[in-house]
Amino acid sequence: MTGPATGRWDSSYHAPVMVDEVVALFSGAEEVLDCTLGGGGHSEALLASGSSVVALDRDEVAIAEARKRLAPYEASGRFLAIRGNFGEIDRIDEIQGTRFDAILADLGVSSHQIDADERGFSFRPGALLDMSRRIAQHAG
């Protein structure tokens, strides 16, 4: 996403979808695991509704952007961002033994990642589509 934010939970990094529906569905959840942090929109909405959030993402840039956005929640101990792949959740030491009331996995694709030609996701004319390079660089 480029340009100014348009929705309450949007950022210049990403616009989350169905935020109001997610917050309503997770109403009363004290501990939430956000498996796909992205720009932090869902996490911010859940935090604003009173939940504490642990969030995962493989993308270091996404984590850095979300941590800036959610710094007050992180400082209060209600938000924790972890670099990791939700497909390997059983191997993420920081959350072993933690019980969550709700788990969110927004499995869409971020336009921020697709729009960056150097990431190897782009379908734009002249951009190199190189998923093997992308996976090797960001695996972990």
Side-chain angles (χ1 to χ4, degrees):
M1 183 173 136
T2 58
T6 57
R8 179 176 178 193
W9 307 111
D10 296 359
S11 70
S12 60
Y13 185 85
H14 181 70
V17 297
M18 300 181 65
V19 178
D20 294 335
E21 293 85 352
V22 168
V23 171
L25 182 63
F26 290 3
S27 176
E30 292 181 24
E31 298 289 331
V32 176
L33 175 62
D34 182 350
C35 292
T36 49
L37 175 61
H42 285 113
S43 286
E44 183 177 22
L46 291 163
L47 289 157
S49 75
S51 298
S52 292
V53 176
V54 174
L56 307 175
D57 208 296
R58 293 179 67 180
D59 186 340
E60 293 176 16
V61 174
I63 290 173
E65 289 295 317
R67 286 187 72 213
K68 281 190 265 184
R69 175 183 190 168
L70 303 173
Y73 294 108
E74 187 173 36
S76 73
R78 292 187 46 224
F79 174 71
L80 173 64
I82 300 170
R83 185 170 184 264
N85 181 339
F86 67 84
E88 299 172 347
I89 201 164
D90 57 329
R91 293 183 239 161
I92 300 174
D93 293 336
E94 295 94 333
I95 60 173
Q96 294 306 304
T98 304
R99 296 184 59 87
F100 295 98
D101 301 309
I103 299 174
L104 171 66
D106 176 8
L107 301 178
V109 178
S110 171
S111 61
H112 180 79
Q113 294 169 334
I114 289 174
D115 290 345
D117 292 346
E118 69 277 4
R119 305 273 319 247
F121 280 130
S122 183
F123 291 97
R124 294 181 186 183
L128 176 65
L129 178 60
D130 184 1
M131 298 302 289
S132 63
R133 184 186 79 207
R134 162 68 176 103
I135 290 168
Q137 287 177 343
H138 298 283

